[in-house]
Amino acid sequence: MKNKVALLFIVAMTFFSVSSHSAVIKWYLNAEFNDGSSISGSYQYNADLNTFSNIDVMSSNGSAYTQVNPDSSGNESFLGFIGDIFAVNEPSFTARLVENVTNSGGAIDIMPGYIFSGGSGCSFEGFCYRDGGRDCGMISVYRDITRGYVTSQVNEPSLLAILLLAGIGLALSRKQPATTQIV
């Protein structure tokens, strides 16, 4: 009986640890700019907490983005990344997604920029000009995103849970050999 209780405890802890990590999803970014260059990389997003982490995005011109732009409204439908929040003239990447990112994962297109052609899109790369403080006084856009998307793969804890529960059922259904008690 002790072995069965220990097995159930281990399975329950495994299930809950897998479930608790499912809220942070790794997203992969791929986009092209109107000058033929591109940007790609990955970041993690937790839709429950509206938090970004492990940002690792690089454009083909060498601009690296590792932080959320504190001046952006980064959320489930808007990406705003920079490299160094204290740099005076810091490259800035901004992308508006066509739908909200969720913890379910999937594939979501990036809304094209069209800032140079007079449109209302807001997906671009530019420079954030600072006056030595943290606030971005002005962004100078130098290229728009013409097409792009973010994608993710989500591990399905439900499948793992089903397999674990099936294993428990098999383990518990095995009959224990009868023991004879000698008196």
Side-chain angles (χ1 to χ4, degrees), residues 70-152:
D71 301 317
S72 78
S73 60
N75 58 39
E76 65 275 0
S77 65
F78 188 83
L79 307 177
F81 298 150
I82 60 172
D84 180 0
I85 60 173
F86 296 108
V88 175
N89 296 323
E90 180 64 24
S92 176
F93 170 74
T94 301
R96 170 77 59 194
L97 305 177
V98 298
E99 61 186 74
N100 290 347
V101 174
T102 67
N103 288 339
S104 299
I108 302 173
D109 288 332
I110 295 173
M111 195 177 295
Y114 305 123
I115 290 177
F116 289 130
S117 58
S120 62
C122 61
S123 299
F124 59 86
E125 187 173 42
F127 278 103
C128 178
Y129 295 103
R130 300 177 191 280
D131 57 7
R134 289 181 62 132
D135 293 335
C136 181
M138 182 177 81
I139 292 181
S140 172
V141 176
Y142 60 89
R143 57 185 171 187
D144 292 328
I145 290 179
T146 55
R147 67 177 169 225
Y149 57 89
V150 294
T151 60
S152 70

Side-chain angles (χ1 to χ4, degrees), residues 57-72:
V57 174
M58 181 164 282
S59 67
S60 57
N61 73 347
S63 295
Y65 300 100
T66 58
Q67 300 175 37
V68 172
N69 185 343
D71 301 317
S72 78

